[in-house]
């Protein structure tokens, strides 16, 4: 089992969110925020999740307040915002740090020293595509929308 699948985050409801539940799936990990110019990407993320979930794909949303304080709400606020505005059905963790000394283990694995695609997260909605075996296959910039051809092609290749 990979280090990715060994991790557990806290879900928005406070319950453990074990990444073991995503073993064998292709996962798009995205640091999300409710008050960002890129927030409308939630709609495309949910569409991707719906389109490919039966084939073994999931989006994993990871709220973060490190970029201009654009995720200031409580876990309850985030859950309500995502449900009401975008009908989000994919798993969401509680807020984490994606950069700096308090960087969450998940982001140490995705972007830390020795990672496949190392380097600090540049802004909200940066995306990592993780294969069924837990290996990081691709990294996409925040401005690359979830419905762009490069993202779709990478997901479809990973699912094949």
């Amino acid at each position: 089992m990979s280090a990715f699948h060994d991790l557990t985050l806290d879900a928005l409801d406070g319950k453990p969110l074990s990444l073991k539940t995503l073993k064998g799936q292709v996962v798009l990990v995205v640091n999300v925020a409710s008050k960002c110019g890129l927030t409308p990407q939630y709609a495309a993320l949910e569409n991707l999740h719906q389109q490919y979930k039966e084939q073994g794909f999931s989006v994993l949303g990871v709220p973060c307040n490190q970029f201009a304080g654009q995720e200031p709400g409580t876990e309850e606020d985030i859950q309500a915002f995502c449900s009401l505005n975008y009908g989000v059905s994919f798993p969401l963790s509680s807020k984490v740090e994606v950069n700096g000394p308090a960087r969450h283990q998940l982001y140490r694995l995705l972007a830390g020293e020795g990672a496949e695609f190392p380097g600090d997260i540049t802004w909200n909605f940066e995306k990592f595509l993780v294969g069924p075996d837990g290996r990081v296959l691709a990294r996409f910039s925040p401005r690359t929308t979830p419905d762009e051809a490069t993202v779709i092609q990478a997901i479809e290749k990973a699912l094949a």
Side-chain angles (χ1 to χ4, degrees):
M1 177 143 59
S2 78
F4 177 80
H5 294 111
D6 288 338
L7 296 175
T8 299
L9 290 87
D10 292 325
L12 275 182
D13 62 8
K15 293 182 177 140
L17 175 61
S18 170
L19 299 189
K20 277 185 178 71
T21 61
L22 299 173
K23 191 170 180 6
Q25 293 190 44
V26 174
V27 182
L28 190 65
V29 180
V30 187
N31 62 302
V32 295
S34 303
K35 304 204 180 308
C36 175
L38 302 176
T39 300
Q41 286 190 26
Y42 264 124
L45 290 168
E46 179 60 22
N47 287 342
L48 271 184
H49 183 72
Q50 291 300 328
Q51 183 177 350
Y52 292 103
K53 70 179 181 181
E54 298 301 321
Q55 295 171 50
F57 172 79
S58 182
V59 172
L60 173 61
V62 184
C64 175
N65 194 38
Q66 282 188 286
F67 303 102
Q70 294 182 342
E71 189 60 275
T74 64
E75 272 63 16
E76 293 79 17
D77 294 337
I78 296 166
Q79 183 71 59
F81 175 86
C82 292
S83 298
L84 295 171
N85 294 294
Y86 295 102
V88 167
S89 65
F90 54 81
L92 288 158
S93 75
S94 62
K95 284 195 272 193
V96 304
E97 301 272 307
V98 298
N99 289 331
R103 174 184 270 174
H104 190 277
Q105 275 182 289
L106 173 62
Y107 278 87
R108 280 193 218 128
L109 183 79
L110 295 174
E113 208 173 293
E116 192 71 32
F117 301 95
D120 276 352
I121 305 307
T122 56
W123 200 252
N124 301 308
F125 291 91
E126 195 146 333
K127 299 156 200 74
F128 290 86
L129 187 66
V130 179
D133 60 357
R135 278 187 334 114
V136 181
L137 304 174
R139 181 174 180 170
F140 301 99
S141 93
R143 296 211 173 270
T144 302
T145 59
D147 50 10
E148 280 186 35
T150 53
V151 178
I152 303 284
Q153 287 164 358
I155 290 169
E156 290 181 347
K157 181 179 176 192
L159 288 170

